[in-house]
Amino acid sequence: MRNLLDNYRRHLTNYDSLLAYSLLGIVGGVASGLVVLTFEWSITALAGLWGVAGGGEFFEVLPRWQLFALPAGGALLLGLAYHLLAPEDRETGIVHVLSRMHSHYSVLPLRNALVQFIGGAFALATGQSGGREGPGVHLGGAVNSQIGQHLGLPNNSLRVLIACGTAGGIASAFNTPLAGVIFAMEVIVAEYSVVGFIPVILAAVAASAVSRSLSPGGALFDIPPLPLNSLLEIPYLALLGIFCGVSVIVFISISRFAARFAHWPVSVRFTIAGLLTGSLALWVPEILGIGYDTLNLALQGELALTALLLIALCKLLATATSCGVGMPIGVIGPNLLIGACLGGAMGVAGGQIAPELASHPTLYIVVGMAATMAAAVNAPL
C-alpha cells in the first residue's frame, strides 16, 4: 500500500499526469459533497430546535419577539465564542481560501474549517443574514486540503484539490455541476488548462451525484423558459445591470465601513450586527437566514413592487454589516436575493411603463440574480 501511494505521489509531481489528477478530482468531489451536505443538515437541525421549519428557511412564521431575539441572541453567543479564538482562527470563507492558496501553499488549517462549520451553521440557524455557499466553498476546499496533507501530496496537487473541493461545494449546494466548474476555474484557480479543467469537472459531477443521491430535492430554483419579448428591452436590461452593480458597490462600502471597527471586541461587533438584523427583521422578516424561500416567491411573482424594494434594501444592509464584522457567513445567496428583488422590481415597473414590450418579470429576476452575483464575486461567467 505504501509503495502504491509513493508511486501515486510521484505521478502527481508531474502536472501533466491527467489520470492521477482525475482520480484526485473524483475523490475530492465526493468528499466535498458529503461535507457540504452535512453542513446543510446541521443548519436544518439547529434551526428546528427553535421552531424554524423549511430547511431552516421559514423564519417569517416565528412570533414577533423571536424575530428580534433569535438573531440578536445568536450573534451575542457567537461573539462570545469567537472571543475565545485567536484572530487567525476566525478567518473563514472564500477570502480565506484564496489567501491560503496564494500565500500558504494551499494548506487550509483544520481549526478554521471547524470554526466555519460550527460557527456558520449556528449563525445561519439563528437567522443571521448570510449565505451557505461561501462556507460550502471553504469546507469543500478545506476537506480536500486535509486529504492532500494527510496523504503527503505535493503542493501543486493541493491547489488542484482545493479547486475540486470548491467546485464540489458549489455543485452540491445548487445541484449544478457546470456552475461549480465555472466558479472554481474563474474565481479560485483563475486560469484554464486541460489538466486543471478535467479533475474539476469530475469533482463537480461527483459532488452533485452525492447531493442528488443523499438529498434528492432536485434543482434549487424552478425556472421556466424565458424568451426575450423584444430587442428594445436590451437597453432596459443593461440599466438593470447597472443598478445591480451599484447595489454591490453599496454592499462592499458598508462591509468596509463595518470592518473599520475590527479593533473593537468581536463580541461587541457581532452583537451590533445581530441587533441590526433583528431590528430590520421586525419590519421585514424575509431577510432572516439565507432567503431562498423569499427568492422562490419572487420567481413565482408573489411579491409586490414595494416588498421587493424593501427586501432588497434590508437584506443588503443586514448582510453587508454582518460580513463586515466577520461573521462566518457567505455573500452569494444574499446577493442572489438582492438581485432577484431588483430585477423583479424592474420587471414590474417595465410592465407598467410599456406592457406591449416588456417580457415576463421572471426574466428580469433571473438577469438580476446573474448580474448581482457576477459583480459580487467578480465572475461574469
Side-chain angles (χ1 to χ4, degrees):
M1 183 67 181
R2 182 177 295 275
N3 290 335
L4 183 62
L5 185 57
D6 288 339
N7 289 332
Y8 184 63
R9 290 195 192 101
R10 280 195 293 273
H11 280 294
L12 289 174
T13 59
N14 180 8
Y15 191 65
D16 293 328
S17 183
L18 186 57
L19 185 60
Y21 278 100
S22 297
L23 177 61
L24 205 60
I26 295 172
V27 173
V30 172
S32 58
L34 288 173
V35 74
V36 169
L37 270 184
T38 306
F39 178 69
E40 293 176 356
W41 289 338
S42 299
I43 297 172
T44 301
L46 280 173
L49 295 178
W50 30 84
V52 181
E57 288 275 13
F58 295 165
F59 289 92
E60 295 86 351
V61 300
L62 295 178
R64 186 172 175 82
W65 69 269
Q66 203 170 351
L67 293 174
F68 176 82
L70 191 58
L76 173 61
L77 292 176
L78 189 62
L80 293 174
Y82 259 55
H83 186 72
L84 303 176
L85 300 173
E88 62 270 17
D89 294 340
R90 302 170 187 168
E91 297 176 0
T92 57
I94 298 175
V95 174
H96 170 69
V97 173
L98 292 173
S99 172
R100 300 295 297 193
M101 286 185 68
H102 292 298
S103 59
H104 293 83
Y105 303 102
S106 300
V107 174
L108 297 181
L110 177 61
R111 58 184 179 273
N112 293 77
L114 292 175
V115 170
Q116 176 69 91
F117 189 102
I118 299 171
F122 182 78
L124 294 174
T126 54
Q128 310 307 325
S129 181
R132 66 189 182 200
E133 296 78 22
V137 167
H138 180 185
L139 293 172
V143 71
N144 281 10
S145 179
Q146 288 295 314
I147 290 173
Q149 292 174 56
H150 281 86
L151 293 178
L153 301 184
N155 290 332
N156 63 320
S157 60
L158 287 183
R159 182 178 176 86
V160 177
L161 262 174
I162 291 178
C164 293
T166 57
I170 293 293
S172 58
F174 288 110
N175 276 331
T176 51
L178 184 58
V181 173
I182 295 175
F183 180 87
M185 302 306 292
E186 192 174 21
V187 178
I188 304 300
V189 182
E191 64 181 13
Y192 290 88
S193 65
V194 173
V195 176
F197 202 62
I198 292 178
V200 169
I201 291 175
L202 292 172
V205 172
S208 184
V210 168
S211 177
R212 296 188 185 200
S213 299
L214 300 181
S215 182
L220 194 59
F221 309 118
D222 184 15
I223 301 175
L226 299 168
L228 184 67
N229 191 39
S230 171
L231 291 177
L232 295 175
E233 291 182 273
I234 291 178
Y236 193 62
L237 290 169
L239 182 62
L240 170 59
I242 293 173
F243 286 155
C244 292
V246 170
S247 74
V248 173
I249 291 173
V250 174
F251 186 100
I252 294 172
S253 299
I254 294 173
S255 294
R256 286 178 173 173
F257 177 78
R260 290 170 58 184
F261 300 94
H263 59 284
W264 289 13
V266 65
S267 56
V268 173
R269 289 185 280 124
F270 278 21
T271 301
I272 291 174
L275 290 171
L276 173 63
T277 301
S279 300
L280 292 173
L282 292 173
W283 188 27
V284 186
E286 290 84 0
I287 68 167
L288 293 179
I290 302 169
Y292 283 154
D293 57 333
T294 305
L295 200 159
N296 275 308
L297 290 177
L299 286 169
Q300 296 164 16
E302 297 185 18
L303 297 177
L305 176 60
T306 304
L308 289 167
L309 293 175
L310 283 176
I311 292 171
L313 175 62
C314 293
K315 190 70 174 176
L316 189 152
L317 289 172
T319 309
T321 303
S322 297
C323 289
V325 301
M327 282 194 179
I329 54 177
V331 300
I332 293 178
N335 275 286
L336 286 175
L337 177 57
I338 292 168
C341 290
L342 291 176
M346 290 281 286
V348 172
Q352 294 174 351
I353 296 170
E356 70 283 357
L357 295 178
S359 297
H360 195 279
T362 305
L363 174 66
Y364 292 88
I365 292 173
V366 173
V367 171
M369 292 166 62
T372 308
M373 179 175 172
V377 300
N378 195 25
L381 288 179

